[in-house]
Amino acid sequence: MRKQIAAANWKMNLTYQQGEQLLDDILRAEITLSDDQQAIFAVPFPYLLMAKNELTGSKNYFASAQNCYNKKAGAFTGEVSAEMIQSLGINYCVIGHSERREYFNESNQVLAEKVNLCLDNKITPIFCCGEPLQVREAGTQNSFVEVQLRESLFHLSAEQLQQIVIAYEPIWAIGTGKTATTEQAQEMHAYLRTILADQYGKDIADTISILYGGSVKANNANELFGSPDVDGGLVGGASLIAADFIQIIKSLK
Ligand code: PEP
């Protein structure tokens, strides 16, 4: 069975102390994860070691970065490389969140470079894709998301692709309280799996976890994650509230 994942994206929220408290509160629930389940916490860079230390000892709980730079090393003041992240013992990194694409102009080509650097450093990219509202309204979301995958992922070998987690996040559903319906999520996830199968074969496509993101809450996670092609969620707002994220972790298949 492919991995079922509850991934928290804290974005630029919480102080160090608040972050530590949140992890403590979540871990106190002592939710046991099976070998096929993971809880991943994408925290701000300065909190990575704290999060890693907090989570060490809890099986299948991991810390993740939220971004890395698309260059290996050098004179890029303020940036953080995949190698630096790996040197902390962190093995996950969110790549291509829609906020990065929008506010930092990250193109599919730049994201392909980031994916490569993550894989070179044994970091699993949690690769985000998803369409804006006007694309959804025009009904062209499938081809829009397909281009994102083709241009950022389809240069990878089958072996490399299997290191990737995909997060489908319709932009109109992120932070808006407007969740995609279970049918809309399942339809897109099934489509993504079909194009992965066309490119890499069904056996490989069936191993790739595809998370849904966009206003996942404690009260809708169960239904969303119950869809056959939805393998968990990437969660923003609700991941900042311990009781809510605990419920979301418990909703994993
Ligand atoms: C996100 O940050 O990726 C996200 C989906 O946010 P929210 O859950 O708040 O919509």
Side-chain angles (χ1 to χ4, degrees):
M1 188 184 177
R2 54 183 171 259
K3 297 257 185 281
Q4 305 297 307
I5 301 171
N9 178 14
W10 289 3
K11 312 191 187 194
M12 198 175 74
N13 290 301
L14 307 175
T15 63
Y16 183 93
Q17 290 76 14
Q18 289 167 334
E20 200 169 31
Q21 184 66 54
L22 178 56
L23 288 177
D24 280 345
D25 291 346
I26 291 168
L27 291 174
R28 203 167 315 116
E30 294 187 358
I31 309 164
T32 306
L33 298 178
S34 72
D35 288 344
D36 295 327
Q37 296 174 325
Q38 294 183 340
I40 299 178
F41 296 83
V43 306
F45 287 129
Y47 308 170
L48 276 171
L49 263 193
M50 174 276 285
K52 185 190 161 208
N53 292 337
E54 285 273 327
L55 299 169
T56 297
S58 299
K59 192 168 157 247
N60 294 332
Y61 286 73
F62 304 103
S64 169
Q66 297 178 7
N67 179 38
C68 68
Y69 197 48
N70 63 319
K71 299 276 183 275
K72 229 176 140 174
F76 303 105
T77 303
E79 292 297 339
V80 175
S81 70
E83 187 182 25
M84 292 172 180
I85 294 167
Q86 176 52 239
S87 71
L88 296 174
I90 303 293
N91 298 310
Y92 292 89
C93 183
V94 177
I95 296 291
H97 191 279
S98 62
E99 289 149 16
R100 303 273 340 155
R101 292 175 185 264
E102 182 179 351
Y103 306 137
F104 302 93
N105 298 318
E106 294 189 355
S107 64
N108 293 339
Q109 288 67 31
V110 163
L111 297 177
E113 292 169 8
K114 293 189 179 199
V115 165
N116 292 345
L117 285 163
C118 283
L119 295 176
D120 288 349
N121 286 283
K122 304 208 168 1
I123 293 171
T124 293
I126 301 173
F127 178 81
C128 302
C129 56
E131 80 286 355
L133 184 61
Q134 63 274 26
V135 169
R136 171 63 63 167
E137 284 174 346
T140 52
Q141 64 273 9
N142 286 5
S143 53
F144 184 92
V145 177
E146 180 171 349
V147 170
Q148 292 181 319
L149 259 56
R150 277 197 187 285
E151 295 188 353
S152 298
L153 297 183
F154 281 11
H155 61 286
L156 300 175
S157 68
E159 197 187 325
Q160 287 174 316
L161 186 87
Q162 287 178 285
Q163 311 306 313
I164 306 271
V165 170
I166 293 175
Y168 168 60
E169 301 207 298
I171 297 170
W172 45 272
I174 298 178
T176 58
K178 202 173 165 189
T179 319
T181 63
T182 309
E183 292 72 30
Q184 285 171 322
Q186 168 57 27
E187 199 177 293
M188 177 60 86
H189 285 226
Y191 178 70
L192 295 180
R193 213 175 295 288
T194 305
I195 58 175
L196 290 171
D198 288 347
Q199 187 77 16
Y200 292 97
K202 186 173 180 322
D203 287 353
I204 304 248
D206 283 344
T207 66
I208 310 291
S209 300
I210 307 179
L211 316 185
Y212 167 77
S215 299
V216 174
K217 304 288 177 205
N219 63 6
N220 61 20
N222 217 28
E223 191 184 327
L224 283 161
F225 299 175
S227 300
D229 286 291
V230 178
D231 305 311
L234 178 57
V235 186
S239 76
L240 301 173
I241 302 161
D244 289 10
F245 199 62
I246 287 169
Q247 192 52 47
I248 289 168
I249 299 173
K250 286 182 176 168
S251 301
L252 288 174
K253 282 201 275 280

